[in-house]
Each structure stands twice: as structure tokens, then as C-alpha cells.
Amino acid sequence: MSANDLAAAPSLLLVDDDAVFRGVLARALGRRGYAVSEAADVAAALALAAANPPEYAVLDLKLEHESGLPLIRQLLDLDPETRILMLTGYASVATAVEAIKLGATHYLAKPVDADQVLAALHRTEGDAQVPVGGDPLSVERLEWEHIQRVLADNDGNISATARALKMHRRTLQRKLAKRPVRG
Amino acid sequence: MSANDLAAAPSLLLVDDDAVFRGVLARALGRRGYAVSEAADVAAALALAAANPPEYAVLDLKLEHESGLPLIRQLLDLDPETRILMLTGYASVATAVEAIKLGATHYLAKPVDADQVLAALHRTEGDAQVPVGGDPLSVERLEWEHIQRVLADNDGNISATARALKMHRRTLQRKLAKRPVRG
DNA sequence: GAAGGCCCGCGGCAATTTGCCGCACCCGGC
DNA sequence: GCCGGGTGCGGCAAATTGCCGCGGGCCTTC
């Protein structure tokens, strides 16, 4: 990439607590002509964004001990034009709905590659020739979605969620630790 | 319900191609004080909405041979105030994102009960500190409902259902042998 | 009418998951 | 400080699932 390209490179803020993943994605995006800045938590992300509001942002939903959701609002407060992509390895309909309503541009489940990230960030709204897929959810997937929904209803309180679901707290913990299955 | 209540009843348009499900939900919503009109496809829904734009709408994503997604835009064109809930037994993150971006108020995966539908329709953007009705279904109960629905979709074919649900035929048999749990 | 192809029901057994203990820790109120 | 409630996690017995196999029924096709 030349110095000219650098000068014109659109800024992109990448927030993820997984250093390895973050590094790989940052490098891939940099190679594609973006000026990437990285942060591992909400505080660091806000510091970077306050100093220089990015044009694009890629946020991990599940950071070390906090949620990336509030960042959506805060980034949009700094610059309403920011295009935000929510990214997570623990995707669910419940959190997707929440993210989009908060103003995220798109929402993707990990794993993703840099091209998918960029496609999601640039996608113009509206052209919704969506799949409307064929097969119903697997029981496992359905359970995951339901758990996420109830968990959101209970503000992330695991004990309360376990009670509401009539399952053991320990079991719920274990289920949450696992990644959602596809399908 | 008195005549006064009827006069004040908020209008709700319910669109689903499954007559049984539609009937059950319509009755349940009617009992809760809504003036429910029903439609089985997009054309019928539009006809009803054009004549009398509803305050609320509950749309099935997967209608017989069409998608319910375009209806979101069309209903909002008729009346931007309409609060729309997308409902589907074939939930996916992708369609959820699309529905919300198109302007839907919320998105839920079937099976749901009437209270959850209303809670979703009334939930305000900020957050859900609203007095939510009854407790959510237990995972066990949810699983049972889902299995029954998919089983019906497959004309009672256990092998096909097991494949669709990505579970073992033997396991499905055992689950079916047990009584439905309540909760 | 024999051969496949699909389906159902069920026994058995190993692997995985649950239920249910416990413990250590953090936090917010009293 | 002390208490109640939430979180994370190890361990272990009990229950459930996954995955075999078998026999049998009901079609369709050679």
C-alpha cells in the first residue's frame, strides 16, 4: 500500500478481547486498505474513538467481562455516521435484534473472514433478497435461542434465568459456555 | 368484554398461513382485548391493511410460497406507526437482522404464547422494565412444542423429523414416549 | 414373489450431560 | 463487619443420549 493510499484509508476501529483473532483480522483489513485501530475492552475503545471517531467499527459482543452492546450507542453519539458491525461467536436472534435496534449496521456470527466483514459494513440496506431458509431449527439451536432470550429478559442474570427456565444454574452455566450450534 | 372495550380495542393484523396456529393465537389475543383480523397471505393482508391500517401486526416470516418480509415495508408505508412483530418457526439471525432493519419492532421464534407476543409488541426501545406477564416456557416444554410442530410438518414421520431436527431417531422416539412436561 | 428401500419399535451399552453437592470470591446494603 | 445473592468452577453419581443391532411392516420395482 502506498503513502497515498494510507492518507485516504478509511478508519476502522476493531474491538475484540481475543488478541489472536483481533490481530489476524486487523492485518487482513489493513491489507485491504483500512486504517485499523485496535482495542481489547470498552474503555480502550472509547478512548480511541473519542480522540478520533472512526468511519467503521467492528465490535465483539462478548468481551472479557463486559458486553459490547453499549458501545454501539456510545460510538453513534460520537459520530452518527459510523457504520458498526457486531460480531460474536455466541450469536443469537435475541442479541442480534438488540444490536440492530441499538443502531448497528449489521450482525455476523463468527467465524467470519475479512471479506464478509467488509461486505457487511458496506451493504446498503433494503435489498433484502433474504434466504428465508428451508429447515426448522434443530432442538439444540432452538434451546440456545430460547436461553438467550430469557437471559436478555433477565438482564443477564444467570441465577434468575435458571430459575425461570427451571433448570439448574450449573447446567445453564455449562450450556452458556458452549458455543451455539449451527442449524 | 363489553361493547365499550370493543370500541376501544386496538386493532391487530395477524398474518400466518397455518390456519390452526393462526386461529389459536387470534383467539388468545382477542381474549386479551385486541380486535384481531386474520390473513393467510400477503395479498389478503394488504387488502385488510389498506382498508384499515392496524395499530399492531404479527407476521409470519415464512408464508406458503412467499416471504413475509416485504410486508413490513408495505405496512409501514400505509402507517409508519404500526408496531410489527415478526414471527417464525424457521428463525435465523440473518432474517432477524433483515426484519429489524426493515422496521419491525421485534422478532420472535415460534413457539410463543400470546403473552410473549404482546410483551414483544409493547416493549419500548430503551429496555424492558415492563411488567412482563407469565414466566417463559421451560426448555423442556419448548422442546416438546417444537418437536410436535416439526413432526406435524413431516406428517408424523419420525425418521424425517429426527433428521430435520438433527437428533437421533432413537432419541426422538424416547422423547416422544415420555409425556409432555408442563411449564 | 423376491429384492430393495423406507419406516417403526425396542434392547443394550458406552459416552456424554445433568443434577446436586461443595467452595471461594465479589458486591451492595444494613 | 456481616449477610444475602450472584458468579465461576471442581467433582461425582445418576440420567440421558448416541450409536450400534435386530425383527418386522408396507410399498415399489424388477
Side-chain angles (χ1 to χ4, degrees):
Chain A
M1 169 169 16
S2 75
N4 271 348
D5 289 338
L6 252 182
S11 56
L12 188 155
L13 174 60
L14 174 56
V15 187
D16 196 310
D17 58 320
D18 180 343
V20 178
F21 176 85
R22 198 176 63 232
V24 172
L25 185 54
R27 206 159 27 254
L29 291 171
R31 231 179 288 121
R32 285 168 175 75
Y34 288 77
V36 181
S37 48
E38 305 179 38
D41 54 48
V42 171
L46 277 178
L48 284 171
N52 183 22
E55 294 171 56
Y56 300 96
V58 176
L59 314 181
D60 187 10
L61 173 65
K62 187 173 175 292
L63 300 174
E64 195 63 43
H65 286 113
E66 48 191 352
S67 165
L69 275 180
L71 256 179
I72 298 176
R73 272 282 171 74
Q74 296 172 287
L75 288 178
L76 290 177
D77 281 349
L78 288 170
D79 179 358
E81 295 298 301
T82 310
R83 296 182 70 83
I84 300 177
L85 169 64
M86 205 77 214
L87 207 55
T88 178
Y90 298 74
S92 74
V93 167
T95 52
V97 167
E98 210 53 49
I100 301 295
K101 286 170 87 170
L102 283 170
T105 304
H106 211 85
Y107 179 107
L108 285 183
K110 290 183 189 177
V112 290
D113 60 38
D115 292 319
Q116 292 174 300
V117 167
L118 292 180
L121 279 172
H122 288 125
R123 177 197 264 210
T124 23
E125 188 178 330
D127 67 329
Q129 295 319 318
V130 255
V132 182
D135 20 317
L137 309 98
S138 72
V139 265
E140 250 186 317
R141 181 70 200 185
L142 182 79
E143 182 182 69
W144 172 265
E145 295 292 349
H146 188 240
I147 287 175
Q148 291 300 322
R149 210 159 67 69
V150 177
L151 190 57
D153 280 354
N154 288 62
D155 303 305
N157 184 324
I158 294 180
S159 296
T161 303
R163 282 193 297 271
L165 257 27
K166 295 175 176 54
M167 75 165 44
H168 275 250
R169 180 179 71 95
R170 192 70 187 87
T171 303
L172 179 56
Q173 280 186 317
R174 287 192 271 237
K175 279 184 188 296
L176 287 172
K178 270 183 280 190
R179 296 226 163 171
V181 284
R182 296 213 175 254
Chain B
M1 169 166 21
S2 75
N4 271 349
D5 290 337
L6 254 183
S11 55
L12 189 155
L13 175 61
L14 175 54
V15 188
D16 197 310
D17 59 322
D18 179 344
V20 178
F21 177 85
R22 199 176 64 232
V24 171
L25 185 55
R27 206 159 26 255
L29 292 172
R31 230 180 289 121
R32 285 168 176 76
Y34 289 77
V36 181
S37 48
E38 305 178 38
D41 55 48
V42 171
L46 278 178
L48 283 170
N52 181 22
E55 295 171 54
Y56 300 96
V58 176
L59 313 182
D60 188 9
L61 172 66
K62 187 174 177 294
L63 300 174
E64 195 62 44
H65 288 112
E66 46 191 354
S67 164
L69 276 178
L71 254 179
I72 298 176
R73 271 285 169 72
Q74 296 171 290
L75 288 178
L76 289 177
D77 281 349
L78 288 170
D79 178 359
E81 295 298 301
T82 309
R83 297 181 69 84
I84 300 177
L85 169 64
M86 206 78 215
L87 206 55
T88 177
Y90 299 75
S92 72
V93 168
T95 53
V97 167
E98 214 52 51
I100 300 297
K101 286 170 85 171
L102 284 171
T105 304
H106 212 85
Y107 180 105
L108 288 182
K110 291 183 188 176
V112 289
D113 61 35
D115 290 321
Q116 295 174 307
V117 167
L118 293 180
L121 280 173
H122 288 128
R123 177 181 291 203
T124 31
E125 172 79 21
D127 213 347
Q129 300 311 326
V130 271
V132 188
D135 22 322
L137 312 99
S138 74
V139 261
E140 259 186 312
R141 175 71 192 203
L142 183 82
E143 181 181 74
W144 175 265
E145 301 277 355
H146 188 240
I147 287 175
Q148 292 303 320
R149 233 157 44 72
V150 176
L151 191 57
D153 275 359
N154 290 65
D155 305 307
N157 184 324
I158 293 181
S159 296
T161 304
R163 279 193 297 271
L165 259 25
K166 296 174 175 56
M167 72 165 44
H168 258 259
R169 180 178 72 94
R170 193 68 188 88
T171 303
L172 180 56
Q173 280 185 318
R174 287 192 272 238
K175 277 184 189 297
L176 288 172
K178 274 183 280 191
R179 289 197 260 93
V181 284
R182 11 208 123 270

